[in-house]
Amino acid sequence: MTARKSFYLVREDMLTEAMEKTLAAKELLELGKVKKINEAVNKVGLSRSAFYKYKDGIFPFHKVVKEKIITLSIILVDRSGSLSQLLGKVAETGANVLTINQTIPLQGRAHMTLSIDTEPMKLDLDELMEWLVGLEAVEKVELVGTGS
């Protein structure tokens, strides 16, 4: 019989220093800023034994509750290559485009809804939306819905 594990939501300022450093080391590894665990723990000032103690038990909250499918409402400037640029940026994150619905451009603007599978995404949702708003051709991005 397997022991049932309990989970708790803990405020960041309640974490031990070793737990915070474990999260920092895991992030360095995920982002590819370091290649090996030894490099990561040295960079954050953590022992390997402490890293291994906590690595499988502590996760950022957004990683645990990450929605798989999201729908975004986007106002796109009607310019050649705008949609291609937007989709290219989504592809860079690793997300998978499920549906695209776009209106006929009126007054130089097109409204579109974009549904994407975020499970393979390398960023969190806030970072994705910041990336998209940062595109010259994008005027507005809003989260319309989430689901699994």
Side-chain angles (χ1 to χ4, degrees):
M1 182 185 251
T2 306
R4 187 174 150 230
K5 299 194 187 239
S6 298
F7 291 87
Y8 302 91
L9 184 61
V10 179
R11 209 175 54 228
E12 181 179 20
D13 63 334
M14 301 301 291
L15 297 176
T16 65
E17 183 179 355
M19 290 175 176
E20 289 176 349
K21 288 181 177 183
T22 299
L23 286 168
K26 286 174 68 170
E27 184 174 8
L28 289 172
L29 289 160
E30 278 182 32
L31 296 174
K33 292 184 178 180
V34 295
K35 300 262 186 243
K36 298 180 179 179
I37 290 172
N38 200 38
E39 292 176 82
V41 296
N42 285 337
K43 198 162 196 160
V44 300
L46 180 69
S47 71
R48 285 174 48 99
S49 62
F51 177 82
Y52 283 109
K53 177 180 180 179
Y54 294 116
K55 78 173 182 73
D56 294 326
I58 186 161
F59 308 94
F61 184 68
H62 67 86
K63 297 271 187 195
V64 177
V65 298
K66 188 174 175 180
E67 296 290 345
K68 291 182 182 174
I69 297 173
I70 62 167
T71 300
L72 301 172
S73 172
I74 301 169
I75 304 294
L76 197 60
V77 175
D78 182 30
R79 187 178 317 134
S80 179
S82 293
L83 181 58
S84 177
Q85 181 187 36
L86 175 98
L87 295 175
K89 203 61 157 170
V90 171
E92 276 183 53
T93 71
N96 182 31
V97 174
L98 301 173
T99 65
I100 302 170
N101 294 300
Q102 182 176 326
T103 63
I104 294 173
L106 298 172
Q107 299 176 344
R109 306 290 179 269
H111 179 265
M112 68 179 298
T113 56
L114 184 67
S115 295
I116 60 175
D117 178 359
T118 62
E119 188 169 24
M121 203 163 69
K122 300 170 194 142
L123 306 174
D124 65 33
L125 183 55
D126 292 334
E127 290 172 310
L128 170 68
M129 291 180 69
E130 283 178 32
W131 266 33
L132 296 180
V133 169
L135 294 173
E136 187 178 323
V138 174
E139 287 192 352
K140 187 176 182 181
V141 178
E142 289 181 323
L143 180 64
V144 176
T146 62
S148 54

